[in-house]
Amino acid sequence: MRLSSLVRPNILALKAYSSARDEYQSTEDVTLLDANENPYESNYNRYPDPYQRELKSQISELKGVDTNCIFLGNGSDEAIDLIFRIFCEPTLDNIIIPDPTYGMYEVSAAIQNIEVRRVPLSQNFELKTDDILAATDIRSKVLFLCNPNNPTGNLLDKNSIKELLERFNGIVVIDEAYVDFSNSDSFTNELDQYDNLIVLQTFSKAWGLAGLRLGMAFCSEEIIKLFNKVKAPYNLSISTQRLALDLLRETKASTEANIKSIIESREYVRQELGKMDIIDKIYDSESNFLLVKFKNHETAYNQLKFSKLIVRDRSKALNCNGCLRITIGTPKENENLIKTLKAL
Ligand SMILES: *Cc1c(COP(=O)(O)O)cnc(C)c1O
């Protein structure tokens, strides 16, 4: 696959904004009169490192991915938006998404005026690779696969994903926001095999840092260069970069413990909800939420709301009629949920 044939011509031709600071690896022992900053020292008087080198080197160790193959953004939603702006020509190109899946791909597509082709997952929320390939044409630039999938919670079949990576003549984005709660290895291990692969991960879920806004994209160096060209020069603040560095060092062990207890709680909640006859089905989950089909989801939703328990109504998503998506909380929050539903 020739990457250049997938990139928007104006982006290929784009000369990135360059700051004098780009040329210096280190800003020690030099006098900085290049960026119209305020010279009086404070924690924030200087612009941040545009390429977040220190943070990337730590994330590189954590994830086992080369620093040159990492993009960091203001949440993975920034990476999603940039993927559209790099590859998709407004009003001409299209993207493919399985249905149901994460809603942000469609929102970003709509913002850029890009056609979305939704291809239904099977009743069990498995990929139908032939249907996906049949939906593509020469203007199909990106296929988004959310794995484990949101809102269904399941892992997609690994061989089906590989087949799509091989047969689709475009970019395949694998959004692994929930991979740390799953039994699956990350597709970052496959980056050497596929030059059309972009893996997204985030610190918002397993790491408990949704408020920080820090997401990652892993892909070939060639695609990273495109991200760097199109992103805002200083897209991550000094405070985000410093806080993330500290938190990654200090909270690695407690994050692993949290993930383990969320997975245990997920299985406990599944077992308890499984005993209730107001519930038709609980779908397999490799994430930190359960998709639950109720006999009467409106009654359940309203009762939960009345008890100040907020869950997500996904009943209008394809093949999700009657379904609520329930995030796994603390043991106390989970007990509260179970108690409230038992009282129905
Ligand atoms: C929560 C979630 C994200 C996270 O987005 P951030 O912008 O990093 O907070 C990404 N993808 C999916 C599928 C999600 O559910």
Side-chain angles (χ1 to χ4, degrees), residues 75-77 102 105 146 150 175 177-178 202 204-205 213-215:
S76 36
D77 288 346
Y102 183 45
Y105 315 133
C146 185
N150 179 6
D175 185 342
Y178 301 99
T202 179
S204 296
K205 308 285 159 63
R213 307 309 298 132
L214 182 57

Side-chain angles (χ1 to χ4, degrees), residues 281-296:
K281 179 164 184 168
I282 306 164
Y283 289 89
D284 285 343
S285 173
E286 304 245 2
S287 58
N288 66 339
F289 57 84
L290 290 170
L291 186 72
V292 181
K293 194 191 271 298
F294 288 82
K295 291 198 170 123
N296 186 337

Side-chain angles (χ1 to χ4, degrees), residues 261-275:
S261 75
I262 288 170
I263 292 171
E264 279 166 16
S265 296
R266 179 186 75 206
E267 294 315 310
Y268 171 74
V269 173
R270 171 199 302 289
Q271 195 186 318
E272 291 303 304
L273 299 190
K275 297 173 188 165

Side-chain angles (χ1 to χ4, degrees), residues 216-241:
M216 300 159 271
F218 305 103
C219 52
S220 71
E221 220 176 316
E222 220 182 335
I223 300 179
I224 292 293
K225 285 188 183 140
L226 294 165
F227 273 112
N228 285 340
K229 229 165 43 155
V230 176
K231 78 183 185 75
Y234 305 108
N235 62 324
L236 288 191
S237 72
I238 283 182
S239 57
T240 301
Q241 296 186 45

